[in-house]
């Protein structure tokens, strides 16, 4: 009886063995050669792939478990039966999908994982990565032009940004910041800000992540196209500015720049200390403000003298930090010249910087008091942002000052605006070079913005206006109506 049972048990084991093998084959595995090759890889259309937009399902609008169809470029949710991606694969015969979160490829409706090295370029476009060595060479080596899928040549870092409707005021700021070397190097590596401790539910950090993603896409040497859409980045801006900055309405670049730098600083857990975040390390300077209250005009000399003797009317000194300096343009001439033509007024940059030399006074009015203020710079940052105030708003309308500012491109000496004590210490560190210039063209309300940026590796200047990128001579930059300028301290003077 025992002998007949033993062969039966053996037969059962033999029958079970093939079943176990089938189960192992059905499980996607890196070691299983069956899942390394997919017959549908030639259906992938790289021309239609665009990972710049929000990662949400095009039908259910959910952000959970979203897959990109690599044949038509659309986003769908899920992978199992009756999901949107599964239905799309059956209905349209599109079989290759990419999980936008895990970066893994799948073939639907068969639902197995595809492991193939020929798909690595798609992974890199979705999530570009940079090593420290690659970042260190961005400004040193002669840059190489990259080629898109269409065969168009482009230079990494000098790519157009899509204007969705009226977001050129944001695009020019993003272009300018992408060529501030230390800021770019910091955001090109996700590990730089991965250690920042955040409280649970802190979604403001999304702004940091979106800016990092945009920076990596702009400097991506293996892009499928020669431009980038800042859609995800601007969605975060609209959300966190409480719709103060919109994609559909023209805004002011200086308002956006100021808000953006301060919000990034807070999201990176920065405080009032100069070195608490990468933003303050780069852009934060220090100044002294001398404030003197003016007695009312209607008083006689004796009453004025009595008031000036009080503590309230003595000079008050305040130490403060700044991220950018506001330069006031002189008012344009009201009358035409002898040839009945309007003269384009011009002013020298050093004349505008005289406001911060510690001796020039400027009157400021409030609803009940008048003050005279003097500004003295006590510490210059590594990068100086100059805001040239072109627009003045009165009761009736917004007016633009067309005055041309004459400025040198290289070796701008900011030493004259330093305090005397500080000038002796920092005598070698006061020369700066221009790296970005933002220009306003047209009417105050309906005008457009463009940016001039310097590619440090080849020393060439480029004009960026949305998707249009052209080379420009440095001499032409000084003839434009500059609005915001970014200067970098000369490397040889430090």
């Amino acid at each position: 009886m025992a002998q007949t049972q033993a062969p039966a048990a053996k037969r059962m084991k033999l029958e079970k063995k093939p079943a176990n093998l089938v189960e192992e084959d059905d499980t996607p595995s890196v070691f299983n050669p069956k899942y390394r090759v997919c017959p549908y890889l030639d259906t992938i259309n790289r021309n239609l792939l665009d990972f710049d937009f929000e990662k949400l399902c095009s039908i259910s609008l959910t952000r959970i478990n979203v897959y990109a169809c690599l044949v038509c470029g659309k986003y769908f949710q899920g992978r199992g039966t009756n999901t949107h991606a599964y239905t799309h694969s059956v209905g349209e015969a599109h079989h290759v999908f990419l999980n936008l979160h895990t970066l893994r490829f799948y073939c639907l409706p068969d639902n197995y994982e595809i492991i193939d090295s020929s798909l690595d370029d798609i992974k890199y476009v979705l999530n570009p990565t940079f090593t420290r060595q690659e970042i260190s060479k961005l400004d040193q080596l002669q840059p190489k032009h990259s080629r898109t899928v269409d065969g168009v040549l482009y230079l990494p870092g000098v790519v157009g940004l899509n204007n969705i409707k009226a977001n050129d005021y944001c695009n020019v700021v993003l272009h300018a910041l992408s060529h501030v070397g230390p800021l770019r190097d910091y955001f090109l590596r996700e590990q730089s800000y991965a250690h920042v401790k955040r409280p649970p539910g802190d979604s403001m950090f999304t702004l940091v992540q979106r800016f990092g993603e945009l920076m990596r896409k702009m400097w991506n040497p293996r892009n499928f196209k020669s431009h980038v859409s800042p859609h995800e980045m601007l969605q975060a801006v609209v959300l966190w500015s409480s719709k103060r900055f919109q994609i559909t309405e023209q805004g002011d670049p200086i308002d956006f720049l100021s808000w953006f730098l301060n919000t990034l600083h807070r999201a990176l857990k920065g405080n009032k200390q100069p070195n608490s975040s990468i933003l303050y390390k780069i852009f934060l300077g220090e100044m002294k403000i001398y404030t003197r209250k003016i007695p009312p005009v209607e008083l006689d000399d004796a009453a004025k003298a009595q008031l000036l003797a009080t503590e309230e009317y003595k000079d008050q000194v305040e130490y403060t930090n700044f991220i950018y300096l506001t330069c006031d343009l002189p008012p344009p001439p009201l009358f035409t010249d002898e040839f009945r033509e309007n003269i384009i007024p011009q002013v020298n940059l050093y004349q505008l910087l005289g406001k911060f030399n510690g001796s020039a006074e400027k009157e400021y009015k409030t609803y009940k008091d008048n003050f005279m203020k003097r500004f003295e710079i006590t510490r210059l940052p590594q990068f100086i942002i100059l805001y040239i105030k072109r627009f003045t708003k009165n009761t009736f309308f917004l007016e633009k000052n067309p005055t041309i500012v004459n400025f040198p491109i290289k070796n701008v000496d900011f030493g004259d605006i330093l305090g005397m004590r500080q000038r002796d210490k920092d005598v070698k560190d006061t020369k700066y070079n221009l790296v970005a210039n933002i220009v306003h063209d047209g009417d105050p309300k309906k005008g457009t913005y463009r940016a001039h940026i310097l590619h440090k590796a080849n020393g060439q200047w480029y004009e960026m206006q949305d998707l249009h990128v052209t080379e420009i001579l440095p001499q032409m930059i000084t003839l434009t109506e500059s609005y915001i300028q970014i200067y970098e301290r000369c490397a040889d003077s430090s």
Side-chain angles (χ1 to χ4, degrees), residues 31-50:
F31 305 102
N32 193 333
K34 179 179 174 183
Y35 298 103
R36 289 181 180 272
V37 181
C38 176
Y40 303 110
L41 292 186
D42 60 337
T43 63
I44 295 175
N45 190 348
R46 285 173 170 78
N47 290 315
L48 296 178
L49 298 184
D50 188 352

Side-chain angles (χ1 to χ4, degrees), residues 155-204:
L155 196 61
V158 188
V159 294
L161 287 177
N162 190 18
N163 188 353
I164 299 165
K165 187 175 180 185
N167 56 281
D168 56 328
Y169 73 98
C170 295
N171 289 354
V172 290
V173 170
L174 297 173
H175 274 307
L177 293 179
S178 70
H179 285 267
V180 174
L183 188 70
R184 174 204 63 198
D185 297 348
Y186 181 85
F187 280 96
L188 282 182
R189 279 180 60 82
E190 199 172 356
Q191 295 88 334
S192 303
Y193 49 85
H195 65 278
V196 176
K197 293 180 180 178
R198 308 179 275 146
D202 177 26
S203 56
M204 187 191 287

Side-chain angles (χ1 to χ4, degrees), residues 329-333 344-347 388 390 401-405 480-482:
L329 287 173
I344 298 175
Q346 299 184 31
V347 65
I388 299 167
R390 288 200 175 273
N401 190 331
T403 304
I404 300 292
V405 179
T480 57
E481 297 177 357
S482 298

Side-chain angles (χ1 to χ4, degrees), residues 229-338:
S229 178
H231 191 270
E232 281 192 290
M233 167 75 208
L234 295 177
Q235 288 285 81
V237 167
V238 172
L239 176 66
W240 280 106
S241 66
S242 302
K243 299 186 179 180
R244 176 182 167 191
F245 302 105
Q246 294 277 8
I247 299 173
T248 55
E249 294 176 15
Q250 186 69 282
D252 193 338
I254 193 63
D255 290 343
F256 173 68
L257 177 63
S258 175
W259 173 86
F260 186 62
L261 293 180
N262 281 297
T263 308
L264 274 185
H265 172 71
R266 284 188 288 116
L268 290 168
K269 297 298 169 238
N271 50 38
K272 292 183 179 180
Q273 299 303 316
N275 293 325
S276 57
S277 79
I278 185 70
L279 281 310
Y280 272 20
K281 283 180 186 176
I282 298 171
F283 295 115
L284 194 72
E286 295 173 1
M287 67 162 65
K288 280 197 289 188
I289 302 177
Y290 300 89
T291 307
R292 178 169 59 85
K293 195 173 178 181
I294 305 172
V297 184
E298 61 270 11
L299 297 179
D300 57 5
D301 292 342
K304 284 182 182 178
Q306 192 176 355
L307 279 177
L308 289 171
T310 60
E311 191 68 30
E312 186 183 355
Y313 284 82
K314 288 185 179 177
D315 273 11
Q316 307 290 329
V317 182
E318 179 190 358
Y319 289 85
T320 185
N321 298 328
F322 67 88
I323 286 183
Y324 65 86
L325 297 173
T326 303
C327 297
D328 301 311
L329 287 173
L334 296 174
F335 306 104
T336 57
D337 62 358
E338 63 270 19

